[in-house]
């Protein structure tokens, strides 16, 4: 099977015209042997390369290219089967897009670009990706690693709730248990809120606890357990806001759900303004009218609302068109390996833009690596939750790992 693969990467050091031609020449020889065709573009800082050929050959070549020390920040933009080679005439043309193949480089399809064989495929995604690169419409927000590691990050750690003693807690009112996971502002080294995650008595995950309940008790338990989460936050004097998860049905079907939460806050001396209810997007949409009504009541009480796992469900955009939360949490499936996925980057950037315009705070969930964090931070996200910073801890707030040292190590 023939495939086409397009990636973008950052040159480790700027190339002179002669070096670029040399690179193109080396690639051309290798690709001719392997019957791979394509194109290498350079804009003074970044490469865009199109590779076409037999699937196994192109894959093996790409694996080798990824290890090439001459570039970094490799982002896969497209990898799809094709019926025939689009750049068949090109074993590997190397072009500087600032000078281009002729005087007129502004538009693929113009006389200059037609020498690339692009004009025949102008309606194809590959040609449009090349065009976006040539026009500079794709800008990578990530600064070079060395810049990222600079002293802007040397903010003294704020005194946060570093530890708490599980023995402080005693028995909780509804007998449910919670692990706490911080959501952090990485640059200010601040915990902005802490999410309470339901656990079994010996740490079993939420779905095990929820599935062990008879259906007719599920929603009442879900709601009532939140009094335990609030009690926990109050007992350890959490100095930030608390997020709790609720099934939308737990909010909608329990007639006095909002009153219950407000009373639980009063009872434990927890300010309602510091409570956020997280609702998963996928389920919220199934009861939209009732859901909206419940959200109005939450807001009237001063409780904040977050959409959880955005991007994992099916109704994300239409839900957002009608209802805007205080916080939107980007699902881990969108965050995972975002630093090397063109489609994920484009999605995240559009969500950031949308949320910025509407005053919605974005949280990136499930951040596990420094590379993911660096990309997200550079794209404008400020709040993060994930194993990179802290894993959930039963009955207490875990220590936070601030990844500055990791960044400095990568930059070295
Ligand atoms: P969630 O609200 O999206 O919570 C985040 C989940 O992702 C947690 O899993 C957390 O442990 C996990 N997580 C956090 N950072 C990372 C990371 O870097 N990598 C990976 N792989 N995972 C990470 P957990 O505790 O198993 O909870 C799963 C889901 O169960 C929660 O997802 C939430 O939707 C639901 N849940 C938790 N507590 C409750 C509750 O009290 N009521 C209801 N109805 N659902 C709850
Ligand atoms: Mn959640
Ligand atoms: Mn989530």
């Amino acid at each position: 099977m023939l495939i086409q693969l397009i990636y973008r990467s950052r040159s480790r050091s700027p190339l002179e015209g002669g070096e670029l031609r040399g690179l193109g020449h080396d690639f051309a020889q290798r690709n001719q042997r392997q019957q791979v065709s394509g194109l290498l573009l350079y804009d003074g800082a970044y490469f865009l390369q199109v590779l076409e050929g037999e699937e196994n050959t192109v894959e093996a070549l790409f694996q080798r290219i990824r290890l090439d020390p001459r570039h970094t920040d490799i982002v896969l933009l497209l990898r799809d089967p094709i019926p025939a080679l689009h750049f068949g005439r090109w074993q590997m043309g190397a072009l500087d897009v600032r000078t281009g193949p002729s005087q007129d480089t502004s538009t693929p399809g113009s006389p200059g670009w037609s020498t690339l064989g692009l004009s025949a495929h102008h309606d194809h995604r590959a040609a449009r990706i090349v065009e976006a690169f040539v026009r500079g419409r794709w800008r990578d927000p990530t600064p070079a690693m060395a810049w990222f590691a600079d002293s802007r990050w040397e903010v003294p750690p704020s005194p946060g709730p570093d530890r708490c003693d599980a023995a402080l807690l005693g028995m909780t009112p509804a007998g449910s248990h919670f692990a706490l996971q911080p959501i952090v502002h990485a640059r200010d080294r601040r915990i902005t809120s802490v999410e309470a995650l339901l656990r079994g008595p010996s740490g079993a995950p939420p779905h095990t606890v929820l599935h062990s309940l008879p259906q007719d008790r599920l929603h009442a338990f879900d709601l009532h357990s939140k009094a335990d989460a609030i009690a926990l936050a109050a007992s350890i004097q959490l100095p930030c806001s608390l997020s709790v998860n609720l099934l939308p049905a737990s909010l909608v079907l329990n007639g006095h759900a909002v009153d219950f939460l407000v009373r639980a806050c009063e009872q434990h001396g927890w300010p309602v303004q510091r409570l956020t209810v997280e609702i998963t997007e996928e389920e919220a949409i199934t009861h939209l009218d009732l859901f909206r009504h419940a959200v109005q009541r939450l807001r009237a009480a001063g409780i904040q609302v977050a959409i959880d796992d955005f991007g994992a469900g099916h109704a994300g955009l239409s839900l957002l068109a009608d209802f805007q939360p205080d916080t939107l949490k980007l699902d881990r499936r969108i965050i995972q390996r975002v630093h090397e996925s063109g489609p994920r980057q484009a999605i995240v950037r559009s969500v950031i833009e949308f949320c910025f315009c509407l005053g919605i705070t974005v949280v990136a969930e499930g951040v596990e690596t420094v590379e993911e964090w660096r990309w997200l931070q550079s794209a404008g996200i400020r709040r993060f939750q994930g194993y990179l910073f802290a894993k959930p801890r039963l009955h207490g707030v875990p220590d936070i790992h601030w990844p500055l040292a990791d960044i400095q190590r990568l930059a070295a």
Side-chain angles (χ1 to χ4, degrees):
M1 184 173 69
L2 289 175
I3 65 163
Q4 188 176 54
L5 186 153
I6 305 183
Y7 74 87
R8 185 179 67 220
S9 64
R10 183 204 298 262
S11 176
R12 260 198 208 280
S13 51
L15 294 182
E16 302 297 330
E19 286 176 292
L20 182 65
R21 276 193 300 280
L23 207 62
H25 182 72
D26 293 351
F27 286 177
Q29 286 195 325
R30 183 183 63 196
N31 295 340
Q32 198 161 18
R33 280 198 305 279
Q34 301 186 333
Q35 306 217 313
V36 172
S37 61
L39 185 68
L40 176 69
L41 300 179
Y42 180 66
D43 73 354
Y46 288 85
F47 296 110
L48 181 89
Q49 188 165 24
V50 183
L51 298 168
E52 293 179 341
E54 270 304 319
E55 184 174 19
N56 294 340
T57 318
V58 171
E59 270 304 334
L61 184 58
F62 186 51
Q63 291 315 319
R64 281 220 308 284
I65 288 173
R66 291 169 74 102
L67 300 175
D68 192 321
R70 285 174 292 194
H71 63 173
T72 65
D73 300 303
I74 299 149
V75 175
L76 183 63
L77 298 174
L78 178 152
R79 186 202 175 287
D80 273 333
I82 41 171
L85 300 178
H86 289 173
F87 298 88
R89 293 194 300 113
W90 285 82
Q91 291 302 338
M92 189 56 61
L95 286 181
D96 192 319
V97 300
R98 294 166 300 176
T99 49
S102 80
Q103 292 306 305
D104 179 11
T105 57
S106 56
T107 320
S110 70
W113 285 98
S114 68
T115 62
L116 294 178
L118 277 174
S119 54
H121 303 286
H122 205 182
D123 60 347
H124 195 272
R125 273 187 65 210
R128 290 197 292 265
I129 290 174
V130 170
E131 179 175 1
F133 183 79
V134 170
R135 288 173 183 257
R137 280 277 305 276
W138 56 275
R139 278 287 148 206
D140 183 359
T142 348
M145 196 60 98
W147 183 88
F148 202 75
D150 84 3
S151 57
R152 288 180 322 119
W153 295 89
E154 301 283 8
V155 181
S158 55
D162 279 346
R163 279 215 169 274
C164 92
D165 188 352
L168 264 177
L169 298 170
M171 263 312 281
T172 50
S176 52
H177 301 262
F178 285 88
L180 301 182
Q181 187 181 32
I183 297 165
V184 300
H185 190 298
R187 203 171 70 186
D188 293 356
R189 295 210 201 181
R190 185 159 61 81
I191 298 178
T192 58
S193 56
V194 159
E195 179 170 6
L197 298 158
L198 186 66
R199 293 291 181 265
S202 49
H207 64 265
T208 310
V209 180
L210 294 172
H211 282 145
S212 71
L213 293 163
Q215 188 63 27
D216 60 341
R217 286 196 41 221
L218 171 66
H219 298 297
F221 173 86
D222 192 22
L223 178 65
H224 294 153
S225 69
K226 300 300 121 53
D228 292 340
I230 292 165
L232 172 59
S235 76
I236 62 173
Q237 299 178 342
L238 199 68
C240 56
S241 91
L242 172 75
S243 292
V244 295
N245 296 277
L246 272 183
L247 294 167
S250 307
L251 193 61
V252 166
L253 301 180
N254 292 301
H256 301 288
V258 177
D259 295 339
F260 176 87
L261 292 172
V262 171
R263 250 185 295 117
C265 286
E266 281 167 4
Q267 199 181 335
H268 298 287
W270 184 258
V272 276
Q273 296 76 10
R274 284 212 264 139
L275 184 66
T276 299
V277 172
E278 295 191 4
I279 303 205
T280 51
E281 168 224 345
E282 196 169 359
E283 304 196 46
I285 199 75
T286 46
H287 310 276
L288 193 55
D289 278 347
L290 289 173
F291 171 74
R292 247 198 244 130
H293 189 61
V295 165
Q296 293 304 326
R297 281 182 291 144
L298 282 174
R299 286 195 158 148
I303 298 173
Q304 304 225 350
V305 183
I307 292 292
D308 205 351
D309 303 339
F310 185 76
H314 309 286
L317 288 176
S318 64
L319 177 62
L320 277 181
D322 291 327
F323 160 72
Q324 295 80 44
D326 302 284
T327 301
L328 184 144
K329 300 184 77 178
L330 269 168
D331 190 67
R332 189 165 69 88
R333 275 165 277 188
I334 305 288
I335 298 304
Q336 237 168 10
R337 310 199 74 80
V338 65
H339 59 290
E340 50 187 32
S341 160
R344 283 180 173 73
Q345 293 183 358
I347 291 167
V348 171
R349 291 170 75 175
S350 68
V351 170
I352 292 171
E353 178 70 15
F354 170 91
C355 289
F356 179 77
C357 294
L358 293 171
I360 299 170
T361 302
V362 183
V363 174
E365 292 191 297
V367 180
E368 293 187 353
T369 68
V370 175
E371 290 82 358
E372 289 163 351
W373 168 58
R374 172 173 166 253
W375 192 88
L376 295 162
Q377 176 81 40
S378 306
I381 294 186
R382 292 292 169 264
R383 293 177 194 217
F384 305 89
Q385 181 177 10
Y387 293 172
L388 175 65
F389 298 95
K391 289 194 174 175
R393 176 168 172 230
L394 193 60
H395 297 155
V397 181
D399 285 336
I400 308 226
H401 165 77
W402 300 109
L404 177 67
D406 305 317
I407 284 279
Q408 284 170 338
R409 186 168 34 76
L410 284 171

